[in-house]
Amino acid sequence: MGNNWLLSRRRIFKLGLGALTGIGAVVAAKNIYWSQQIQALDNPNRTFIASGKVSLKERAAAKGLIYGTAVRYPDLSLDVKLAASVALECGMLVPEWELKWFAGKQPLRPSPDSFDFQMGDWMVNYAKTHDLLFRGHTLVWHESLPPWFRNTVNRQNAREFLAQHIKTVMQHYAGKIHSWDVVNEAINLGDNRSDGLRTTPWLKLLGTDYIDLAFRLAAESDPQTLLVYNDFGLDYDTPQDEAKRIAVLKLLEKLKSKGTPIHALGIQAHLLPGKNKFNQEKLRRFLRDVASLGLKIMITEMDVADKDLPVDIKIRDRIIAGVYEDYLSAALDEKAVIAVITWGLSDRNSWLSEFQPRDDHAPVRPLPLDAQMQRKLVWNAIARAFDHAPKR
Ligand code: 9MR
């Protein structure tokens, strides 16, 4: 047994080495392919000239559009430069953390029977003082749930928890919110359900009707605000995104046919150039299909991750700006699109620095302003897309 055992160990080792070399070759070939794809994305002759210095807010407004950004309380309250840029460039504010159930240092739902509105109130007042519209984000999501949720919410009381949360939060801000993300990211094809729904805690506790229920509770709680279904992964010409677009359309059709009070689709537009192919016509067609259901559309969380892009800032910024302009010029052709929100305004404050950092540790550059709050090519690209957009 001893010798046989040794032999087979050696053979396995050799086989393993062979397999590793094979895998190595495939990975290397893939890397070459991607780096060629990425080079093809860059057009050194492409210029992003935007006429004049008028802010994004004003350019958007001239077309009947809204431009806004997401921000977090600690950034907005402590960073005067950021605050000044938000007031200058934006017509709308979205709290990145403060109206989730549990995110940031002072969460909205610290315990099952309490609500802490301090952060949210500060943000709403800030928006009012600076003449910004305000968006609510988000009432029903499988993430950012409190640590107490698991052991407290069960099949018997889930409906009551959902109703109490939606009513209390929406009534607290009633009349002050332009639009609410009522349900966020409810589709996930990876969960392999025939209806495409994500198996979230809410789905497990309440069944598939939790979405309709959430919208009805929302409509009762604040009849003035626009009620939005918000999701990601709807942007590219890939089989995954195509399947997700179909699943989202099916969900929206179903809700509309049931009389669910839903008013808009939020398309997050977290873009990742390099490996994904983008097709303007496919995006236009999807937006047209959504609009034909009588829904408005908001681009709700736009940014462009640069983790696969060359480190050279000139090249990187040019590619990112091109991605923004290509996407927005197609999206804004659809008149049902009423707003564009970027997920942050300055590279200083992007979630991507933490969630999708670059392998070379170079600071990420996904947003309109650089870390010094200077306008960069992305700003020009957005400005150009607004300037060329048809009027609403
Ligand atoms: O940018 C947000 C990050 O700071 C939070 O830690 C995270 C969890 O609350 O959520 C991020 O924002 C997400 C948004 O709420 C929903 N769409 C995807 C966004 C990026 O993950």
Side-chain angles (χ1 to χ4, degrees):
M1 188 197 159
N3 262 351
N4 273 346
W5 181 82
L6 256 184
L7 262 183
S8 59
R9 285 269 294 201
R10 263 188 217 132
R11 201 171 295 140
I12 288 169
F13 180 67
K14 275 192 186 159
L15 279 174
L17 265 187
L20 274 181
T21 324
I23 292 169
V26 172
V27 169
K30 262 194 173 169
N31 282 342
I32 291 170
Y33 172 72
W34 282 333
S35 80
Q36 281 167 348
Q37 293 250 103
I38 285 159
Q39 270 165 27
L41 276 177
D42 183 32
N43 173 2
N45 298 322
R46 187 163 175 180
T47 56
F48 294 90
I49 298 163
S51 60
K53 301 228 175 301
V54 176
S55 69
L56 294 181
K57 162 174 78 180
E58 288 164 281
R59 286 173 201 261
K63 297 301 172 68
L65 283 160
I66 301 163
Y67 170 69
T69 183
V71 274
R72 309 164 196 148
Y73 167 82
D75 298 333
L76 191 61
S77 60
L78 294 174
D79 187 339
V80 277
K81 269 184 123 183
L82 171 69
S85 298
V86 167
L88 173 73
E89 301 284 3
C90 300
M92 180 181 263
L93 209 62
V94 188
E96 194 170 331
W97 291 342
E98 292 69 14
L99 292 185
K100 291 171 176 172
W101 283 59
F102 204 94
K105 285 211 173 100
Q106 202 178 327
L108 177 64
R109 299 302 311 272
S111 71
D113 43 18
S114 66
F115 291 79
D116 183 345
F117 288 114
Q118 217 186 324
M119 298 291 106
D121 289 357
W122 188 94
M123 297 277 253
V124 169
N125 286 335
Y126 183 93
K128 192 166 176 226
T129 317
H130 296 85
D131 206 17
L132 295 150
L133 295 168
F134 197 78
R135 246 173 89 57
H137 176 83
T138 175
L139 295 163
V140 183
W141 192 26
H142 61 284
E143 282 187 39
S144 293
L145 286 170
W148 52 260
F149 189 92
R150 226 177 169 194
N151 296 326
T152 314
V153 186
N154 53 46
R155 283 189 189 192
Q156 281 68 49
N157 64 19
R159 202 184 162 94
E160 201 182 311
F161 262 98
L162 186 73
Q164 187 213 24
H165 183 82
I166 292 179
K167 279 189 189 157
T168 311
V169 177
M170 285 188 78
Q171 284 171 3
H172 183 84
Y173 293 113
K176 298 178 180 166
I177 308 254
H178 167 274
S179 47
W180 259 111
D181 287 334
V182 179
V183 177
N184 196 36
E185 303 172 4
I187 300 275
N188 183 27
L189 299 175
D191 285 350
N192 289 321
R193 291 173 49 97
S194 58
D195 55 11
L197 291 182
R198 186 188 291 276
T199 44
T200 72
W202 292 112
L203 182 117
K204 285 190 204 149
L205 294 165
L206 292 168
T208 54
D209 277 346
Y210 83 93
I211 300 176
D212 173 69
L213 174 65
F215 276 97
R216 288 183 196 275
L217 289 163
E220 278 168 28
S221 309
D222 181 359
Q224 308 299 326
T225 191
L226 217 61
L227 304 180
V228 184
Y229 172 71
N230 193 44
D231 215 332
F232 66 91
L234 301 167
D235 317 291
Y236 282 106
D237 188 6
T238 59
Q240 293 92 316
D241 282 21
E242 181 63 19
K244 189 144 177 184
R245 283 192 287 272
I246 292 169
V248 165
L249 265 177
K250 265 198 194 145
L251 172 68
L252 297 175
E253 273 162 17
K254 195 171 148 219
L255 294 173
K256 285 300 282 181
S257 71
K258 269 193 181 177
T260 307
I262 174 172
H263 309 128
L265 171 67
I267 298 181
Q268 295 184 8
H270 290 292
L271 304 181
L272 178 64
K275 295 166 198 169
N276 298 309
K277 239 176 59 203
F278 176 63
N279 178 324
Q280 288 194 316
E281 203 33 55
K282 288 222 166 131
L283 182 68
R284 282 198 193 93
R285 201 177 314 145
F286 174 61
L287 300 182
R288 213 157 44 227
D289 289 345
V290 174
S292 71
L293 294 172
L295 295 170
K296 297 287 181 206
I297 299 164
M298 304 177 74
I299 308 298
T300 49
E301 307 185 9
M302 190 166 189
D303 55 19
V304 175
D306 63 2
K307 70 184 170 73
D308 295 331
L309 301 185
V311 67
D312 182 307
I313 286 178
K314 261 199 178 152
I315 301 174
R316 194 158 26 127
D317 280 4
R318 203 159 52 212
I319 296 177
I320 300 172
V323 171
Y324 266 94
E325 192 172 347
D326 291 348
Y327 190 91
L328 285 179
S329 60
L332 296 178
D333 279 346
E334 172 53 62
K335 289 200 182 174
V337 176
I338 57 168
V340 175
I341 295 134
T342 49
W343 208 238
L345 180 63
S346 151
D347 294 337
R348 194 186 283 190
N349 309 107
S350 171
W351 72 293
L352 292 166
S353 335
E354 187 193 335
F355 287 80
Q356 292 186 45
R358 295 176 54 86
D359 287 343
D360 58 16
H361 306 297
V364 297
R365 298 177 66 81
L367 292 167
L369 306 184
D370 69 13
Q372 283 70 48
M373 302 295 152
Q374 299 301 309
R375 291 170 172 177
K376 54 199 246 279
L377 282 193
V378 169
W379 184 95
N380 290 44
I382 300 176
R384 285 165 61 85
F386 287 153
D387 291 350
H388 294 141
K391 218 172 165 183
R392 271 64 191 147

